[in-house]
Amino acid sequence: QVALVQSGGGLVQVGDSVRLSCEVSGRNTYAVGWFRQAPGAEREFVAASTWNNGRSVYAGAVKGRFTISRDTTKNTVYLQMNNLKPEDTAVYYCNVIHIVAPPEDYWGKGTLVTVSS
């Protein structure tokens, strides 16, 4: 199994904006999502979207600040993060669900976003 390729992240300041990217296969893709894991914490849901029509949902902690989107021609999913806070510091992982038999679930290696105060 090969991990999804992610890019973006790094050290930023409070209030900054960052966009993360994740390459997906595109074929048989049903949904894409982003999760994050802070040091010593469990992995938590951030945002998810259907691949075809872009219907999205968000965790309460990021709603209004983060936006998930996808470019179906480039087979890429994005997470636009605005007005970053120190509590957003975490390793961010992209995820994709493929509708095959049986359904498959793929993850990226993760990218660290550190928000300094």
Side-chain angles (χ1 to χ4, degrees):
Q1 189 71 264
V2 179
L4 304 177
V5 178
Q6 301 182 218
S7 62
L11 177 62
V12 299
Q13 303 293 318
V14 170
D16 281 356
S17 295
V18 172
R19 189 178 74 165
L20 306 181
S21 300
C22 179
E23 297 179 11
V24 304
S25 70
R27 297 188 65 183
N28 299 309
T29 300
Y30 174 72
V32 292
W34 290 93
F35 293 74
R36 67 185 183 185
Q37 187 169 22
E42 65 181 10
R43 187 175 297 187
E44 65 178 358
F45 167 77
V46 175
S49 172
T50 57
W51 184 251
N52 288 336
N53 58 29
R55 187 176 183 181
S56 60
V57 292
Y58 297 89
V62 306
K63 191 174 183 179
R65 297 189 298 118
F66 291 11
T67 302
I68 185 172
S69 62
R70 77 276 185 273
D71 188 330
T72 57
T73 64
K74 296 181 179 179
N75 292 151
T76 302
V77 59
Y78 305 97
L79 182 67
Q80 178 67 45
M81 304 185 292
N82 297 329
N83 192 25
L84 285 163
K85 305 175 180 180
E87 51 264 44
D88 294 319
T89 296
V91 176
Y92 286 75
Y93 300 88
C94 63
N95 169 259
V96 58
I97 298 174
H98 285 185
I99 300 301
V100 292
E104 298 176 347
D105 195 357
Y106 297 95
W107 291 88
K109 290 284 188 177
T111 185
L112 177 63
V113 175
T114 301
V115 185
S116 65
S117 59

